[in-house]
Amino acid sequence: MLEFARMTRLPPYVFATVDKLKMDLRHKGEDIIDLGMGNPDIPTPKHIVDKLVEAAQKARNHRYSASAGIPKLRLAIADWYKRRFDVDINPDEEAIATIGAKEGISHLILATVSPGDVVFAPNPTYPIHQYSVIIAGGDLRSIPIGPGRDFFDDLLAATKQTWPKPKILIISYPHNPTTEVVDMEFFEKIVEFCKEHEMIVIHDMAYADLVFDGYKPPSFLQVPGAKEIGVEFFSMSKSYSMPGWRVGFCVGNPEIIAALKRIKSYLDYGMFQPIQIAAIVALNGPDDCVHEIVDIYRQRRDVLVDGLNRIGWPIEKPKGTMFVWAKIPEQYKGLGSVEFSKKLILEAKVAVSPGIGFGQYGDNYVRFALVENHHRTNQALRGIRQVL
């Protein structure tokens, strides 16, 4: 059999076990409510779709585009940052459009990490934060996060124990899957720490808009000096419900942006230009559609969390993301997240994501995605109540 060294470094895909069980049951006619994958179901706002259609009618938009994003899109990105966070971004040197945040992070790691370079990533976390390092041949080290832990104590301990010294720290807030949120003081300490230890920071801010109960997430780049050491990614998949469009961007340190721009120039021709034009319309506003989308997720969060608490599964309401990170009930803790997830599919007819798929420190949890309406969520709750 053929063997490919880079592929052998990747662990088995944990979610595959649950996904296969879900599909097998559906093929048998079972109605499985899928709260596993965070695949937004809310339609993209009409004015964004209309602009896509209009732009797609023009033949000049059918040609190869710019892999870094067309100038007007990069200007819209800079304007969005100024309005939203009062951060000045040079659209020519400090901003780049990406084919979603996932592609951008993957290619940035590929551009900046050499075999043996040490990269810190939280655990649990969104899988590409970890696996992009493995694919690039880097040396991944995990920083555990969660209740009862001090991130900076763990970060300092890992830094002291690591040789060669770590090159990059990947962070993401509001955080998927744990839904943790942070304040400006957290980012100030990150900048201070990473300057002292000469580490690059990559901050994935995909859920900056999906926040609730008055919480307003800061940007890492709001901290003075942050641009000297790092970059920040944003995705339009959630805020504007554009997941299949694959639109994201990266802003910050011009040298890091240049590295991403250069590797992308070899690997892709950028997004279909009508998509970029529609993204400009989305970023330039109005923002009413974003507020409406956020309110839908807030209502879904309330229905799910209130319902879980009511049936004896105590969970706090998250202040951000489109997920609920739920500690496995005590009586089922010994099963681990994969077996407990299989139990929910078989007995409750509800699919969730096993926490171990986001890292070994997530094995006591499962993740619910807020991707179903109130009726289906209540149906899921009835099934879960029978299990509990």
Side-chain angles (χ1 to χ4, degrees):
M1 290 180 63
L2 293 174
E3 284 194 8
F4 305 102
R6 189 166 281 117
M7 293 302 97
T8 58
R9 290 196 74 203
L10 291 172
Y13 188 61
V14 173
F15 302 116
T17 304
V18 176
D19 289 343
K20 184 179 185 305
L21 180 57
K22 174 183 69 181
M23 295 311 298
D24 288 347
L25 290 172
R26 281 181 168 173
H27 288 150
K28 293 176 182 176
E30 297 275 11
D31 179 19
I32 305 297
I33 302 170
D34 191 354
L35 301 177
M37 184 178 178
N39 192 358
D41 64 314
I42 303 166
T44 305
K46 184 177 182 300
H47 70 286
I48 302 173
V49 177
D50 289 346
K51 192 63 181 181
L52 170 72
V53 173
E54 177 193 315
Q57 298 290 346
K58 298 176 181 177
R60 67 174 180 270
N61 291 326
H62 298 175
R63 307 181 70 184
Y64 290 130
S65 190
S67 63
I70 58 178
K72 286 187 178 178
L73 175 55
R74 286 184 276 111
L75 181 61
I77 291 166
D79 290 343
W80 184 86
Y81 253 86
K82 184 64 177 176
R83 289 194 314 273
R84 182 72 190 275
F85 300 111
D86 196 26
V87 171
D88 291 312
I89 298 293
N90 181 323
D92 296 321
E93 298 180 356
E94 298 176 343
I96 182 171
T98 60
I99 307 172
K102 187 175 184 179
E103 173 271 321
I105 292 169
S106 303
H107 282 157
L108 179 57
I109 292 296
L110 201 58
T112 56
V113 173
S114 300
D117 283 346
V118 175
V119 178
F120 286 165
N123 187 328
T125 197
Y126 181 53
I128 201 61
H129 297 159
Q130 299 175 332
Y131 298 145
S132 61
V133 179
I134 295 170
I135 290 168
D139 184 358
L140 174 70
R141 306 290 175 90
S142 293
I143 310 295
I145 62 172
R149 303 204 71 104
D150 184 302
F151 181 81
F152 289 97
D153 285 349
D154 290 333
L155 181 60
L156 180 60
T159 303
K160 286 180 176 178
Q161 294 166 12
T162 298
W163 185 260
K165 64 182 182 181
K167 185 175 186 177
I168 295 174
L169 170 66
I170 301 173
I171 52 176
S172 178
Y173 293 98
H175 187 255
N176 171 21
T178 69
T179 74
E180 283 190 6
V181 295
V182 296
D183 55 18
M184 185 66 79
E185 183 184 357
F186 178 89
F187 285 134
E188 289 170 351
K189 291 172 72 174
I190 287 287
V191 171
E192 180 184 2
F193 185 93
C194 291
K195 276 189 173 183
E196 179 184 348
H197 294 278
E198 299 179 320
M199 294 166 62
I200 293 169
V201 177
I202 298 173
H203 180 226
D204 181 0
M205 194 177 60
Y207 297 93
D209 286 321
L210 265 59
V211 291
F212 320 109
D213 306 334
Y215 171 69
K216 293 186 178 180
S219 161
F220 159 74
L221 295 177
Q222 285 177 285
V223 179
K227 215 185 281 187
E228 297 170 22
I229 59 165
V231 293
E232 192 161 66
F233 279 90
F234 181 75
S235 166
M236 299 181 70
S237 296
K238 287 81 180 178
S239 305
Y240 299 91
S241 208
M242 297 168 64
W245 298 54
R246 308 311 304 131
V247 188
F249 53 82
C250 180
V251 296
N253 181 276
E255 292 178 84
I256 299 173
I257 296 295
L260 179 55
K261 189 180 295 185
R262 187 170 185 197
I263 198 168
K264 279 176 63 63
S265 71
Y266 284 94
L267 294 172
D268 71 73
Y269 284 110
M271 292 169 277
F272 184 42
Q273 193 148 298
I275 291 177
Q276 297 191 51
I277 293 168
I280 293 167
V281 169
L283 288 170
N284 286 340
D287 292 334
D288 298 3
C289 60
V290 177
H291 300 313
E292 291 169 7
I293 288 167
V294 172
D295 197 51
I296 290 171
Y297 283 118
R298 181 192 58 76
Q299 292 176 42
R300 291 178 176 182
R301 176 203 66 167
D302 291 348
V303 170
L304 178 61
V305 175
D306 289 346
L308 289 172
N309 278 287
R310 193 168 54 247
I311 64 176
W313 191 344
I315 293 168
E316 291 186 17
K317 288 183 179 177
K319 291 188 176 180
T321 78
M322 55 180 288
F323 305 109
V324 170
W325 186 238
K327 194 167 189 178
I328 296 172
E330 196 63 33
Q331 65 268 40
Y332 296 116
K333 187 177 176 182
L335 290 177
S337 58
V338 172
E339 291 304 314
F340 181 67
S341 297
K342 288 163 69 174
K343 185 178 182 67
L344 288 183
I345 292 180
L346 290 168
E347 299 180 26
K349 311 304 178 188
V350 177
V352 297
S353 293
I356 198 171
F358 304 96
Q360 70 268 35
Y361 291 104
D363 198 27
N364 289 331
Y365 294 81
V366 293
R367 190 195 72 177
F368 292 87
L370 303 173
V371 292
E372 284 286 3
N373 60 37
H374 297 185
H375 170 73
R376 293 285 282 173
T377 301
N378 281 317
Q379 183 181 338
L381 288 165
R382 287 193 292 271
I384 294 169
R385 181 178 59 193
Q386 291 177 354
V387 173
L388 298 184

